[in-house]
Amino acid sequence: MDDYKMMVNAYKEAGGEDVFSDSEVAHVVLERDNVLGSHEVEGLEVNIKKREKGRVQVEIEVAAAAVIKNPVHMCFGVLPEKGLQIIDMEVNIGRGAEIEVLADCIFPNASEVKHIMEAEINLAENSKYTYRENHYHGEEGGVEVQAEAEIMAAPNSYFYSVFSLLQGRAGKISFDYQADLDAHSTLEMLARIRGNNEDEITIREAGVLRGKGARGILDSKIALQDKASGEILNELTACASNAQGHVDCTEVIKDEATARAVPIVNVEHPEAKITHEAAIGSVDDTKLQSLMSRGLNEEEATEVIVQGMLKG
Amino acid sequence: MKNILEIENLGLNLGSNKVFSDVSFTISSGEVTAVIGPNGCGKTSLAYSIMGLKEYKPEQGSIFYKDENINKYSIDERARKGITLAWQEPPRLEGVSVRKFLALGLESQKKEVTEEQLESVLKEVGMSPHLYLDRNIDDTLSGGERKRIELASILIMEPELVILDEPDSGVDIVALNNIGTVINKLKEKNTGILMITHSEEMLKYADKAVLLCHGEILKKGDPQEISVFYQKECRDCEVDDYKSHREKRQQMQAEVKNIG
């Protein structure tokens, strides 16, 4: 089987849709620094340049006023047990353009894999960018992920991202996204991760609501068990009138897992407002017993609650 | 009718506080037994003890379900034997859809769930399947909506014994009719029902009633008689210390005996 088929199969096994033969769906399939497949649609331009070993530059341009009808699928990964993948990504969404990207990062056989993503995302006025990043790291915990992004959102633009890892091991994840929002732009940044064994998860989501009427939500949820550890450091700053936001850090732990949450809110204008909540603890007993009264044992009930929390 | 549940001299303390003691009664299949009493008399704690919540393990007495002592069984083991509880305040379950929640009760019994069953039980509680099946049981639903979904989840399970904890609390008048429908549906399927309530209005659905006062049974028997007695003696009861209450109760019990 060639690498392309292996990547597509791994992608499907991780829950991805079979879209790679659909001419109306744009896609990119990247294994380490090899482009195994790509397809563009009108209004979207994707340029991929190989740089030094293991490193690629991906440039995504969405033309002004272009509305990309179907979500663009990006499949990144490393197939062997050991490997390195560094992606430098630059995304430019033109004025009034709209795009949704589904990125799947899959490392099904990893015992010693490093995946580094450094992204720069620019949203022009009135544009909309939705980015859903799903990770599957296999069962060994041998993946180290460093994901960093800087987002610049022009007036009236909308940025939504969700980073999720809901199955298998997490390994080591360090996630750091920072957004700067101009007037009346909106930010929604979500992270949903579960860790087990000795996984280590660090999330930092930060936003600066610089423009008047900007809105921001930073919402991170982690479920940890065994000896896994998690840390959420979310920071939201409001600097202009009517800028409003909310920071939510939730961690559910069991066994010997440990968690830390630091929500930071800064308000630098008297007409701005930011709220926050942080919660760390075990699964709520009332919810647990409610499900157990339907016949689920404690483990099954906990799974329903944790999966629900991470999907919610 | 055959007794499905027999409670014998059940007693529970929480810390140093007595919650209830010497509670004995039976529930038959296809019948509604109401436990009525003012707030704080131990009704919900009794419900939790019967369901098997770990903090409410009784110190005295026995619970027999279908002639088997079930004191040793956990909440989920009791549920898989056919007992369930409709909670007074059903919790919010973030990210769990109504569809998933309704299906859980059957899936835990290794039974298949059909779309028709899901739609049917929602209609029984006056909810549109089209509008609700794919909604999550989170804070976008009101307490009344969650309560109806709770009742639908009981109907789909077809339990042999159900405990309805204050089924009328937090619901509107329309939903009150749905409660009557649910109770009748359960009775049709020969389910034994233990209804916990502080409202004499709800006694109209009961076949027999038990009046609980400060954790002890004051009177049991015909629901209408209990309703009249409850309205007369209990609703405006001003005795608030336990010792005086016990004396008053003993006096009333003696009067009841003399009349009988």
Side-chain angles (χ1 to χ4, degrees), chain A residues 166-179:
Chain A
L166 305 178
Q167 296 176 53
R169 292 282 304 275
K172 281 187 185 176
I173 295 181
S174 170
F175 171 94
D176 187 346
Y177 276 23
Q178 169 118 15

Side-chain angles (χ1 to χ4, degrees), chain A residues 104-164:
Chain A
D104 283 272
C105 301
I106 44 180
F107 314 97
N109 310 307
S111 64
E112 203 180 316
V113 165
K114 195 164 185 177
H115 169 82
I116 299 172
M117 167 86 78
E118 287 175 8
E120 191 184 308
I121 300 164
N122 300 299
L123 286 84
E125 273 182 59
N126 299 310
S127 65
K128 187 175 176 183
Y129 183 50
T130 301
Y131 183 70
R132 301 176 196 278
E133 184 172 336
N134 298 310
H135 279 242
Y136 179 65
H137 294 182
E139 303 297 330
E140 292 208 19
V143 177
E144 185 178 346
V145 169
Q146 290 173 20
E148 289 179 18
E150 278 188 27
I151 299 117
M152 297 295 293
N156 289 311
S157 60
Y158 174 85
F159 177 84
Y160 173 93
S161 73
V162 56
F163 180 104
S164 53

